[in-house]
Amino acid sequence: MAKLSSEESKKELVKYRDLILATLSYLRNKSSNILSESYEEKLREQTLEHFEKGRLIKLKQWFRDLSEWPREAGDVAFDDFLRGQTGYWINNVVDFEIRIKAIIARKEIKNETEYREVLSKVDQLCQADKCDADEVAKLNALLLNFEND
């Protein structure tokens, strides 16, 4: 992956700060069972701290983690909410599928985040009306390889 210029990095920091703050609002308004008010405020403060310190990787990870619930729930309103709040065009489900395909193509899970995403994909496939046994087998092999390394 090419290193971002200072200008590009600043834009990405703003983008992910805005996406996280909007996601926190969405999750809080969607159901108080997802985020308590005090936990949401703590996450907001930490998000702003990561933004101020230029921690783009941390912000991207947080957005990926926070957007997992709407993706798994099939919440199609989430992407529209983000677009309306931030102006950024995000397609949570498509982005997830692209990441899964990249993992399958390279035949390796590189970190815990990818591991959790592959687990999520396996769960999703197994809950589908018609389970794709071949894809589940491929993904399970990747999971086992990661666990054994």
Side-chain angles (χ1 to χ4, degrees):
M1 179 183 279
K3 185 169 172 69
L4 297 176
S5 71
S6 178
E7 179 82 16
E8 292 169 326
S9 183
K10 287 177 186 175
K11 285 181 182 178
E12 285 289 289
L13 281 165
V14 169
K15 174 183 177 178
Y16 281 94
R17 176 203 60 197
D18 293 351
L19 287 171
I20 291 169
L21 295 176
T23 300
L24 290 171
S25 293
Y26 185 82
L27 294 175
R28 178 74 178 126
N29 292 329
K30 190 71 172 172
S31 169
S32 60
N33 295 332
I34 298 170
L35 287 179
S36 69
E37 190 174 334
S38 62
Y39 188 55
E40 176 193 3
E41 186 56 37
K42 182 178 177 181
L43 290 176
R44 284 181 180 283
E45 290 170 8
Q46 289 176 347
T47 297
L48 295 174
E49 179 183 333
H50 293 316
F51 171 76
E52 292 299 324
K53 292 184 177 181
R55 296 178 180 151
L56 181 57
I57 292 171
K58 180 69 82 174
L59 292 176
K60 284 182 175 183
Q61 181 61 54
W62 275 32
F63 177 67
R64 203 178 271 178
D65 291 347
L66 289 168
S67 62
E68 183 176 343
W69 180 84
R71 180 185 45 75
E72 287 183 349
D75 188 346
V76 294
F78 177 66
D79 293 344
D80 291 335
F81 177 83
L82 289 180
R83 193 171 303 119
Q85 293 293 305
T86 68
Y88 297 112
W89 288 77
I90 301 297
N91 192 326
N92 201 22
V93 174
V94 170
D95 293 345
F96 173 74
E97 292 299 329
I98 289 169
R99 290 192 304 272
I100 293 298
K101 286 179 182 176
I103 294 166
I104 292 169
R106 84 164 109 69
K107 299 176 182 172
E108 178 185 25
I109 296 172
K110 290 186 175 182
N111 55 49
E112 290 293 325
T113 299
E114 289 183 353
Y115 179 82
R116 284 194 323 273
E117 286 190 322
V118 171
L119 276 175
S120 177
K121 181 64 178 176
V122 169
D123 185 49
Q124 179 186 40
L125 288 168
C126 290
Q127 291 182 29
D129 290 336
K130 291 189 175 186
C131 180
D132 185 341
D134 291 337
E135 189 169 3
V136 169
K138 282 182 203 174
L139 294 170
N140 278 332
L142 293 173
L143 291 167
L144 286 171
N145 286 340
F146 182 78
E147 290 170 356
N148 291 330
D149 285 343

